[in-house]
């Protein structure tokens, strides 16, 4: 069996997605997600111009060899554009391998380690009362874990708080929206939000919160300490992970668990944090970290250091990525949680898939391969539309991380 074609498909059924479809001479196809939020066309070009020509004639069964060929052979290693492109190829080849073997991909990864994949939803509101209403809605849907985000009094807009509560898309404009931020107001408000949520829903519901990289280490330590009475499952992205020594300071002041890694693109981004046990959950994704092959390496390293998975699963990851993530989530021994933001009906039309939600769990398809595809005719009806994530400024006008 040989690869005879590889197509890069860019579509925007409500938000932009980049998909690679690999075709073999025996008619077996595989799909991989290559979406990089706000930089989609950079990955599409990388694939079309620099990767697809290398795939023609290759044996699709040689997944590891192809991964090393694309990673080691490029000279310019790592980075989100390169690793998203490599991920698309890797994911598509796993899809093909599963179809050829007649097995769902998780069986090729060692089989089930659990019956279902525990997911968390996003409850958000401008006020605490709105947040409580949204948490109740997710509890009624069977969720066992809920991320809680609330508007900050005095700020006109807060990232992570949306008008559409089920289908939130933060990349909202052809040029970045600029929003105001106050760390002082945020730190003063957040503990009171979780006090109300715990009072309303009791001690057993798993609660999470995303800081979106907005604090310094000592500010994050203060936040973590103030949230300890409410027993969060994790505090996500408390600081930018560029200076990883900063996590030592956070760790020395609070026992609130830490999750980080959705922007990581390789094991080297996470290695220090994992080895020093400075985090509790690693949130790296299939699409941004080199595919199933490389993400499995990250999770294997994490397993040796008592770190669990908690993969990013926002709407900028297509159903192709979600399907791949679920197969890996089901197989690894150190699974923690899987983020699950539901896609729109238009996205589900473009990406028909067999995974499904039931009572707090996602279940991958039992069909051979990943159990997901792309309808190219439907995709063609939704052309690319520029969209960027917002940019934060402090109230004095200084650009601030997210």
């Amino acid at each position: 069996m040989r690869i005879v074609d590889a197509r890069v498909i860019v579509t925007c059924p409500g938000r932009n997605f980049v998909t690679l479809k690999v075709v073999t001479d025996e008619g077996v196809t595989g799909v991989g997600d290559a979406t990089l939020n706000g930089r989609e066309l950079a990955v599409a070009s990388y694939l079309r111009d620099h990767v697809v020509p290398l795939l023609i004639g290759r044996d699709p069964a040689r997944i590891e060899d192809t991964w090393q060929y694309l990673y080691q052979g490029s000279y310019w290693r790592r980075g989100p554009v390169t690793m998203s492109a490599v991920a698309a190829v890797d994911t598509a080849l796993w899809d093909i391998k599963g179809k050829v073997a007649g097995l769902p991909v998780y069986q090729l990864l060692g089989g089930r380690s659990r019956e279902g994949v525990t997911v968390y939803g996003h409850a958000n509101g401008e006020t605490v009362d709105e947040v409580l209403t949204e948490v109740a809605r997710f509890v009624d849907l069977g969720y066992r874990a809920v991320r809680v985000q609330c508007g900050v009094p005095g700020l006109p807009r807060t990232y992570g708080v949306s008008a559409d509560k089920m289908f939130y898309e933060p990349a909202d404009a052809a040029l970045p929206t600029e929003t105001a931020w106050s760390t002082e107001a945020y730190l003063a408000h957040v503990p009171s939000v979780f006090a109300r949520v715990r009072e309303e829903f009791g001690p057993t519901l798993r609660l999470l919160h995303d800081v979106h990289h907005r604090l310094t280490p000592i500010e994050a330590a203060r936040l973590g300490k103030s949230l300890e009475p409410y027993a969060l499952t994790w505090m996500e992205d408390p600081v930018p992970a560029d200076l990883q020594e900063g996590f030592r300071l956070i760790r020395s002041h609070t026992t609130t668990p830490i999750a980080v890694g959705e922007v990581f693109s390789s094991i080297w981004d996470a290695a220090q944090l994992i080895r020093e046990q400075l985090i509790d959950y690693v949130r790296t994704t299939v699409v941004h970290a080199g595919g199933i092959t490389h993400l499995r390496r990250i999770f294997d390293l994490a397993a040796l250091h008592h770190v669990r998975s908690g993969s990013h699963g926002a709407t900028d990851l297509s159903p192709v990525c979600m399907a791949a993530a679920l197969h890996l989530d089901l197989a690894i021994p150190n699974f923690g949680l899987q983020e699950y933001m539901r896609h729109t009906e238009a996205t589900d039309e473009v990406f028909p898939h067999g995974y499904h939600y039931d009572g707090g769990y996602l279940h991958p398809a039992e069909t051979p391969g990943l159990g997901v595809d792309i309808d190219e005719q439907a995709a063609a009806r939704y052309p690319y539309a520029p969209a960027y994530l917002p940019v934060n400024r402090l109230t004095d006008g200084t650009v601030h991380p997210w």
Side-chain angles (χ1 to χ4, degrees), residues 123-161:
N124 69 84
E126 288 293 344
T127 67
V128 179
D129 287 339
E130 287 182 13
V131 168
L132 295 177
T133 298
E134 290 305 307
V135 173
R137 182 155 69 106
F138 280 99
V139 170
D140 289 343
L141 289 170
Y143 283 76
R144 293 165 168 81
V146 180
R147 193 187 86 166
V148 174
Q149 307 293 133
C150 187
V152 177
L155 298 183
R157 177 176 175 179
T158 305
Y159 186 83
V161 177

mmCIF file of all heavy atoms in Angstrom, residues 123-161:
data_model
loop_
_atom_site.group_PDB
_atom_site.id
_atom_site.type_symbol
_atom_site.label_atom_id
_atom_site.label_comp_id
_atom_site.label_asym_id
_atom_site.label_seq_id
_atom_site.Cartn_x
_atom_site.Cartn_y
_atom_site.Cartn_z
ATOM 1 N N ALA A 123 -19.044 26.288 32.185
ATOM 2 C CA ALA A 123 -20.125 27.098 32.742
ATOM 3 C C ALA A 123 -19.602 28.506 32.954
ATOM 4 O O ALA A 123 -18.616 28.704 33.668
ATOM 5 C CB ALA A 123 -20.606 26.504 34.057
ATOM 6 N N ASN A 124 -20.247 29.476 32.334
ATOM 7 C CA ASN A 124 -19.774 30.852 32.472
ATOM 8 C C ASN A 124 -20.947 31.820 32.492
ATOM 9 O O ASN A 124 -22.042 31.511 32.016
ATOM 10 C CB ASN A 124 -18.790 31.199 31.344
ATOM 11 C CG ASN A 124 -19.467 31.291 29.985
ATOM 12 O OD1 ASN A 124 -20.030 32.317 29.625
ATOM 13 N ND2 ASN A 124 -19.403 30.204 29.203
ATOM 14 N N GLY A 125 -20.709 32.986 33.068
ATOM 15 C CA GLY A 125 -21.738 34.014 33.124
ATOM 16 C C GLY A 125 -21.138 35.340 33.525
ATOM 17 O O GLY A 125 -20.057 35.408 34.110
ATOM 18 N N GLU A 126 -21.843 36.413 33.213
ATOM 19 C CA GLU A 126 -21.372 37.749 33.591
ATOM 20 C C GLU A 126 -21.478 37.973 35.092
ATOM 21 O O GLU A 126 -20.691 38.707 35.674
ATOM 22 C CB GLU A 126 -22.170 38.819 32.844
ATOM 23 C CG GLU A 126 -21.848 38.929 31.365
ATOM 24 C CD GLU A 126 -20.444 39.444 31.094
ATOM 25 O OE1 GLU A 126 -19.815 40.011 32.024
ATOM 26 O OE2 GLU A 126 -19.965 39.287 29.965
ATOM 27 N N THR A 127 -22.456 37.326 35.729
ATOM 28 C CA THR A 127 -22.660 37.456 37.166
ATOM 29 C C THR A 127 -22.582 36.087 37.822
ATOM 30 O O THR A 127 -22.697 35.045 37.147
ATOM 31 C CB THR A 127 -24.026 38.075 37.474
ATOM 32 O OG1 THR A 127 -25.057 37.151 37.074
ATOM 33 C CG2 THR A 127 -24.214 39.392 36.732
ATOM 34 N N VAL A 128 -22.438 36.081 39.139
ATOM 35 C CA VAL A 128 -22.383 34.808 39.862
ATOM 36 C C VAL A 128 -23.700 34.054 39.708
ATOM 37 O O VAL A 128 -23.706 32.826 39.557
ATOM 38 C CB VAL A 128 -22.035 35.039 41.342
ATOM 39 C CG1 VAL A 128 -22.012 33.712 42.092
ATOM 40 C CG2 VAL A 128 -20.691 35.743 41.481
ATOM 41 N N ASP A 129 -24.810 34.736 39.731
ATOM 42 C CA ASP A 129 -26.101 34.064 39.566
ATOM 43 C C ASP A 129 -26.199 33.383 38.200
ATOM 44 O O ASP A 129 -26.723 32.268 38.087
ATOM 45 C CB ASP A 129 -27.245 35.061 39.733
ATOM 46 C CG ASP A 129 -27.452 35.482 41.187
ATOM 47 O OD1 ASP A 129 -27.008 34.732 42.087
ATOM 48 O OD2 ASP A 129 -28.050 36.558 41.417
ATOM 49 N N GLU A 130 -25.704 34.049 37.160
ATOM 50 C CA GLU A 130 -25.680 33.416 35.834
ATOM 51 C C GLU A 130 -24.785 32.184 35.835
ATOM 52 O O GLU A 130 -25.118 31.163 35.223
ATOM 53 C CB GLU A 130 -25.191 34.420 34.783
ATOM 54 C CG GLU A 130 -26.185 35.506 34.435
ATOM 55 C CD GLU A 130 -25.644 36.438 33.355
ATOM 56 O OE1 GLU A 130 -24.609 36.086 32.718
ATOM 57 O OE2 GLU A 130 -26.238 37.509 33.144
ATOM 58 N N VAL A 131 -23.652 32.263 36.518
ATOM 59 C CA VAL A 131 -22.746 31.118 36.608
ATOM 60 C C VAL A 131 -23.445 29.943 37.275
ATOM 61 O O VAL A 131 -23.362 28.791 36.805
ATOM 62 C CB VAL A 131 -21.468 31.505 37.381
ATOM 63 C CG1 VAL A 131 -20.659 30.254 37.736
ATOM 64 C CG2 VAL A 131 -20.618 32.458 36.563
ATOM 65 N N LEU A 132 -24.152 30.194 38.371
ATOM 66 C CA LEU A 132 -24.843 29.117 39.075
ATOM 67 C C LEU A 132 -25.877 28.454 38.173
ATOM 68 O O LEU A 132 -26.028 27.222 38.194
ATOM 69 C CB LEU A 132 -25.507 29.668 40.336
ATOM 70 C CG LEU A 132 -24.571 30.208 41.418
ATOM 71 C CD1 LEU A 132 -25.370 30.784 42.577
ATOM 72 C CD2 LEU A 132 -23.619 29.130 41.917
ATOM 73 N N THR A 133 -26.572 29.244 37.384
ATOM 74 C CA THR A 133 -27.553 28.686 36.444
ATOM 75 C C THR A 133 -26.878 27.775 35.430
ATOM 76 O O THR A 133 -27.383 26.681 35.105
ATOM 77 C CB THR A 133 -28.297 29.818 35.713
ATOM 78 O OG1 THR A 133 -29.011 30.601 36.664
ATOM 79 C CG2 THR A 133 -29.271 29.263 34.683
ATOM 80 N N GLU A 134 -25.716 28.206 34.927
ATOM 81 C CA GLU A 134 -25.005 27.407 33.927
ATOM 82 C C GLU A 134 -24.404 26.137 34.533
ATOM 83 O O GLU A 134 -24.413 25.077 33.908
ATOM 84 C CB GLU A 134 -23.916 28.248 33.262
ATOM 85 C CG GLU A 134 -24.458 29.337 32.360
ATOM 86 C CD GLU A 134 -25.397 28.786 31.303
ATOM 87 O OE1 GLU A 134 -24.994 27.837 30.580
ATOM 88 O OE2 GLU A 134 -26.529 29.260 31.213
ATOM 89 N N VAL A 135 -23.863 26.223 35.740
ATOM 90 C CA VAL A 135 -23.347 25.014 36.395
ATOM 91 C C VAL A 135 -24.481 24.009 36.564
ATOM 92 O O VAL A 135 -24.317 22.806 36.296
ATOM 93 C CB VAL A 135 -22.706 25.353 37.754
ATOM 94 C CG1 VAL A 135 -22.328 24.062 38.500
ATOM 95 C CG2 VAL A 135 -21.466 26.223 37.567
ATOM 96 N N ALA A 136 -25.646 24.487 36.993
ATOM 97 C CA ALA A 136 -26.792 23.599 37.165
ATOM 98 C C ALA A 136 -27.175 22.925 35.851
ATOM 99 O O ALA A 136 -27.553 21.739 35.834
ATOM 100 C CB ALA A 136 -27.978 24.383 37.727
ATOM 101 N N ARG A 137 -27.062 23.662 34.754
ATOM 102 C CA ARG A 137 -27.410 23.073 33.454
ATOM 103 C C ARG A 137 -26.473 21.927 33.108
ATOM 104 O O ARG A 137 -26.920 20.874 32.635
ATOM 105 C CB ARG A 137 -27.351 24.156 32.365
ATOM 106 C CG ARG A 137 -27.756 23.654 30.981
ATOM 107 C CD ARG A 137 -28.248 24.803 30.144
ATOM 108 N NE ARG A 137 -27.194 25.713 29.781
ATOM 109 C CZ ARG A 137 -26.667 25.784 28.545
ATOM 110 N NH1 ARG A 137 -27.109 24.984 27.598
ATOM 111 N NH2 ARG A 137 -25.725 26.657 28.275
ATOM 112 N N PHE A 138 -25.172 22.099 33.364
ATOM 113 C CA PHE A 138 -24.232 21.016 33.075
ATOM 114 C C PHE A 138 -24.430 19.834 34.016
ATOM 115 O O PHE A 138 -24.322 18.672 33.592
ATOM 116 C CB PHE A 138 -22.792 21.532 33.140
ATOM 117 C CG PHE A 138 -22.371 22.259 31.898
ATOM 118 C CD1 PHE A 138 -22.377 23.645 31.845
ATOM 119 C CD2 PHE A 138 -21.981 21.553 30.767
ATOM 120 C CE1 PHE A 138 -21.993 24.308 30.691
ATOM 121 C CE2 PHE A 138 -21.600 22.214 29.607
ATOM 122 C CZ PHE A 138 -21.606 23.596 29.568
ATOM 123 N N VAL A 139 -24.730 20.102 35.268
ATOM 124 C CA VAL A 139 -25.014 19.014 36.202
ATOM 125 C C VAL A 139 -26.238 18.227 35.732
ATOM 126 O O VAL A 139 -26.255 16.988 35.766
ATOM 127 C CB VAL A 139 -25.214 19.570 37.620
ATOM 128 C CG1 VAL A 139 -25.744 18.479 38.559
ATOM 129 C CG2 VAL A 139 -23.903 20.133 38.161
ATOM 130 N N ASP A 140 -27.262 18.930 35.264
ATOM 131 C CA ASP A 140 -28.466 18.261 34.763
ATOM 132 C C ASP A 140 -28.163 17.410 33.528
ATOM 133 O O ASP A 140 -28.854 16.408 33.275
ATOM 134 C CB ASP A 140 -29.545 19.288 34.424
ATOM 135 C CG ASP A 140 -30.142 19.943 35.666
ATOM 136 O OD1 ASP A 140 -29.964 19.393 36.766
ATOM 137 O OD2 ASP A 140 -30.764 21.020 35.520
ATOM 138 N N LEU A 141 -27.146 17.810 32.759
ATOM 139 C CA LEU A 141 -26.744 17.030 31.582
ATOM 140 C C LEU A 141 -25.873 15.831 31.956
ATOM 141 O O LEU A 141 -25.484 15.059 31.075
ATOM 142 C CB LEU A 141 -25.995 17.925 30.597
ATOM 143 C CG LEU A 141 -26.831 18.973 29.846
ATOM 144 C CD1 LEU A 141 -25.923 19.946 29.102
ATOM 145 C CD2 LEU A 141 -27.799 18.292 28.882
ATOM 146 N N GLY A 142 -25.539 15.695 33.229
ATOM 147 C CA GLY A 142 -24.773 14.537 33.677
ATOM 148 C C GLY A 142 -23.290 14.771 33.866
ATOM 149 O O GLY A 142 -22.551 13.833 34.195
ATOM 150 N N TYR A 143 -22.837 16.008 33.672
ATOM 151 C CA TYR A 143 -21.408 16.283 33.820
ATOM 152 C C TYR A 143 -20.962 16.104 35.268
ATOM 153 O O TYR A 143 -21.648 16.529 36.204
ATOM 154 C CB TYR A 143 -21.084 17.709 33.365
ATOM 155 C CG TYR A 143 -21.047 17.886 31.872
ATOM 156 C CD1 TYR A 143 -22.218 17.953 31.126
ATOM 157 C CD2 TYR A 143 -19.834 17.997 31.202
ATOM 158 C CE1 TYR A 143 -22.188 18.125 29.748
ATOM 159 C CE2 TYR A 143 -19.790 18.174 29.822
ATOM 160 C CZ TYR A 143 -20.972 18.230 29.108
ATOM 161 O OH TYR A 143 -20.946 18.400 27.732
ATOM 162 N N ARG A 144 -19.801 15.500 35.424
ATOM 163 C CA ARG A 144 -19.189 15.304 36.730
ATOM 164 C C ARG A 144 -18.100 16.337 37.020
ATOM 165 O O ARG A 144 -17.577 16.393 38.132
ATOM 166 C CB ARG A 144 -18.578 13.898 36.808
ATOM 167 C CG ARG A 144 -19.618 12.792 36.771
ATOM 168 C CD ARG A 144 -18.978 11.436 36.468
ATOM 169 N NE ARG A 144 -19.909 10.349 36.702
ATOM 170 C CZ ARG A 144 -20.853 9.973 35.845
ATOM 171 N NH1 ARG A 144 -20.981 10.619 34.692
ATOM 172 N NH2 ARG A 144 -21.663 8.980 36.130
ATOM 173 N N ALA A 145 -17.753 17.121 36.013
ATOM 174 C CA ALA A 145 -16.709 18.136 36.148
ATOM 175 C C ALA A 145 -17.119 19.352 35.328
ATOM 176 O O ALA A 145 -17.582 19.208 34.185
ATOM 177 C CB ALA A 145 -15.362 17.600 35.677
ATOM 178 N N VAL A 146 -16.928 20.552 35.902
ATOM 179 C CA VAL A 146 -17.364 21.776 35.237
ATOM 180 C C VAL A 146 -16.306 22.857 35.442
ATOM 181 O O VAL A 146 -15.843 23.085 36.569
ATOM 182 C CB VAL A 146 -18.712 22.273 35.804
ATOM 183 C CG1 VAL A 146 -19.146 23.557 35.091
ATOM 184 C CG2 VAL A 146 -19.786 21.207 35.679
ATOM 185 N N ARG A 147 -15.925 23.511 34.348
ATOM 186 C CA ARG A 147 -15.060 24.685 34.444
ATOM 187 C C ARG A 147 -15.919 25.910 34.699
ATOM 188 O O ARG A 147 -16.947 26.105 34.040
ATOM 189 C CB ARG A 147 -14.260 24.874 33.142
ATOM 190 C CG ARG A 147 -13.119 25.870 33.281
ATOM 191 C CD ARG A 147 -12.458 26.156 31.948
ATOM 192 N NE ARG A 147 -13.148 27.220 31.211
ATOM 193 C CZ ARG A 147 -12.633 27.848 30.148
ATOM 194 N NH1 ARG A 147 -11.438 27.511 29.697
ATOM 195 N NH2 ARG A 147 -13.314 28.790 29.541
ATOM 196 N N VAL A 148 -15.498 26.733 35.651
ATOM 197 C CA VAL A 148 -16.280 27.892 36.071
ATOM 198 C C VAL A 148 -15.521 29.178 35.740
ATOM 199 O O VAL A 148 -14.389 29.368 36.185
ATOM 200 C CB VAL A 148 -16.568 27.827 37.587
ATOM 201 C CG1 VAL A 148 -17.258 29.102 38.062
ATOM 202 C CG2 VAL A 148 -17.419 26.601 37.909
ATOM 203 N N GLN A 149 -16.150 30.048 34.938
ATOM 204 C CA GLN A 149 -15.597 31.364 34.595
ATOM 205 C C GLN A 149 -16.678 32.402 34.822
ATOM 206 O O GLN A 149 -17.852 32.159 34.493
ATOM 207 C CB GLN A 149 -15.152 31.411 33.131
ATOM 208 C CG GLN A 149 -14.205 30.302 32.701
ATOM 209 C CD GLN A 149 -12.841 30.359 33.353
ATOM 210 O OE1 GLN A 149 -12.334 29.352 33.834
ATOM 211 N NE2 GLN A 149 -12.231 31.537 33.373
ATOM 212 N N CYS A 150 -16.280 33.556 35.349
ATOM 213 C CA CYS A 150 -17.258 34.592 35.672
ATOM 214 C C CYS A 150 -16.738 35.956 35.243
ATOM 215 O O CYS A 150 -15.524 36.217 35.303
ATOM 216 C CB CYS A 150 -17.537 34.597 37.179
ATOM 217 S SG CYS A 150 -18.879 35.706 37.685
ATOM 218 N N GLY A 151 -17.657 36.823 34.828
ATOM 219 C CA GLY A 151 -17.293 38.195 34.544
ATOM 220 C C GLY A 151 -16.724 38.872 35.780
ATOM 221 O O GLY A 151 -17.077 38.532 36.915
ATOM 222 N N VAL A 152 -15.827 39.822 35.555
ATOM 223 C CA VAL A 152 -15.183 40.550 36.650
ATOM 224 C C VAL A 152 -15.854 41.914 36.794
ATOM 225 O O VAL A 152 -15.907 42.679 35.818
ATOM 226 C CB VAL A 152 -13.677 40.717 36.388
ATOM 227 C CG1 VAL A 152 -13.032 41.533 37.501
ATOM 228 C CG2 VAL A 152 -13.003 39.351 36.260
ATOM 229 N N PRO A 153 -16.384 42.220 37.964
ATOM 230 C CA PRO A 153 -17.038 43.526 38.142
ATOM 231 C C PRO A 153 -16.110 44.681 37.769
ATOM 232 O O PRO A 153 -14.938 44.712 38.144
ATOM 233 C CB PRO A 153 -17.356 43.543 39.643
ATOM 234 C CG PRO A 153 -17.486 42.101 40.025
ATOM 235 C CD PRO A 153 -16.465 41.384 39.178
ATOM 236 N N GLY A 154 -16.646 45.612 36.990
ATOM 237 C CA GLY A 154 -15.877 46.772 36.564
ATOM 238 C C GLY A 154 -15.205 46.615 35.221
ATOM 239 O O GLY A 154 -14.731 47.602 34.650
ATOM 240 N N LEU A 155 -15.153 45.378 34.688
ATOM 241 C CA LEU A 155 -14.574 45.145 33.360
ATOM 242 C C LEU A 155 -15.695 44.904 32.359
ATOM 243 O O LEU A 155 -16.605 44.112 32.625
ATOM 244 C CB LEU A 155 -13.623 43.947 33.384
ATOM 245 C CG LEU A 155 -12.403 44.061 34.296
ATOM 246 C CD1 LEU A 155 -11.518 42.822 34.141
ATOM 247 C CD2 LEU A 155 -11.598 45.322 33.993
ATOM 248 N N PRO A 156 -15.644 45.550 31.189
ATOM 249 C CA PRO A 156 -16.740 45.411 30.226
ATOM 250 C C PRO A 156 -16.828 44.027 29.597
ATOM 251 O O PRO A 156 -17.891 43.625 29.125
ATOM 252 C CB PRO A 156 -16.425 46.481 29.171
ATOM 253 C CG PRO A 156 -14.950 46.713 29.296
ATOM 254 C CD PRO A 156 -14.630 46.518 30.742
ATOM 255 N N ARG A 157 -15.725 43.292 29.597
ATOM 256 C CA ARG A 157 -15.726 41.990 28.944
ATOM 257 C C ARG A 157 -14.632 41.136 29.571
ATOM 258 O O ARG A 157 -13.550 41.635 29.889
ATOM 259 C CB ARG A 157 -15.482 42.153 27.438
ATOM 260 C CG ARG A 157 -15.380 40.850 26.668
ATOM 261 C CD ARG A 157 -15.227 41.119 25.183
ATOM 262 N NE ARG A 157 -15.015 39.885 24.442
ATOM 263 C CZ ARG A 157 -14.868 39.818 23.122
ATOM 264 N NH1 ARG A 157 -14.917 40.928 22.409
ATOM 265 N NH2 ARG A 157 -14.675 38.672 22.521
ATOM 266 N N THR A 158 -14.908 39.836 29.746
ATOM 267 C CA THR A 158 -13.928 38.910 30.312
ATOM 268 C C THR A 158 -13.766 37.719 29.392
ATOM 269 O O THR A 158 -14.762 37.074 29.027
ATOM 270 C CB THR A 158 -14.365 38.430 31.716
ATOM 271 O OG1 THR A 158 -14.591 39.570 32.553
ATOM 272 C CG2 THR A 158 -13.300 37.542 32.335
ATOM 273 N N TYR A 159 -12.533 37.417 29.002
ATOM 274 C CA TYR A 159 -12.269 36.263 28.139
ATOM 275 C C TYR A 159 -12.746 34.989 28.846
ATOM 276 O O TYR A 159 -12.496 34.797 30.035
ATOM 277 C CB TYR A 159 -10.777 36.163 27.847
ATOM 278 C CG TYR A 159 -10.414 35.091 26.847
ATOM 279 C CD1 TYR A 159 -10.508 35.326 25.481
ATOM 280 C CD2 TYR A 159 -9.977 33.831 27.269
ATOM 281 C CE1 TYR A 159 -10.171 34.357 24.562
ATOM 282 C CE2 TYR A 159 -9.643 32.852 26.356
ATOM 283 C CZ TYR A 159 -9.740 33.116 25.002
ATOM 284 O OH TYR A 159 -9.416 32.138 24.097
ATOM 285 N N GLY A 160 -13.434 34.139 28.102
ATOM 286 C CA GLY A 160 -13.974 32.919 28.680
ATOM 287 C C GLY A 160 -15.426 33.034 29.095
ATOM 288 O O GLY A 160 -16.032 32.049 29.499
ATOM 289 N N VAL A 161 -15.984 34.246 28.989
ATOM 290 C CA VAL A 161 -17.396 34.478 29.296
ATOM 291 C C VAL A 161 -18.090 34.866 27.999
ATOM 292 O O VAL A 161 -17.679 35.815 27.330
ATOM 293 C CB VAL A 161 -17.571 35.577 30.356
ATOM 294 C CG1 VAL A 161 -19.052 35.863 30.603
ATOM 295 C CG2 VAL A 161 -16.871 35.177 31.654
#
